[in-house]
Amino acid sequence: MSQHTWQKSSYCAQGEACLHVGTDRRGTIGLTESGDPTGAILRTTPTALRALLRTLKEEHSHG
């Protein structure tokens, strides 16, 4: 497994319910929850993450 360098989301306030984002040497993007950063990790490509974020923003603006 490739090692990620994690960065905490800028939307995170103080506390344990934060999203951490990281990339590995291959360019794979990882997402994990700050309460257990070694636990469940979602791995994706930059293209797929952009599509997900675009969809979430569109849903939010229509909601």
Side-chain angles (χ1 to χ4, degrees):
M1 176 164 54
S2 298
Q3 186 69 17
H4 285 83
T5 301
W6 298 107
Q7 179 178 5
K8 184 167 56 169
S9 169
S10 61
Y11 288 96
C12 183
Q14 300 296 323
E16 291 295 318
C18 299
L19 178 67
H20 287 205
V21 179
T23 58
D24 64 15
R25 286 180 244 125
R26 297 175 302 182
T28 301
I29 295 174
L31 303 167
T32 190
E33 193 263 325
S34 62
D36 184 9
T38 61
I41 297 173
L42 172 68
R43 290 179 184 83
T44 189
T45 64
T47 302
L49 182 60
R50 274 192 298 273
L52 172 64
L53 294 175
R54 184 176 52 249
T55 300
L56 291 172
K57 287 177 183 179
E58 288 172 1
E59 291 290 323
H60 181 70
S61 67
H62 296 297

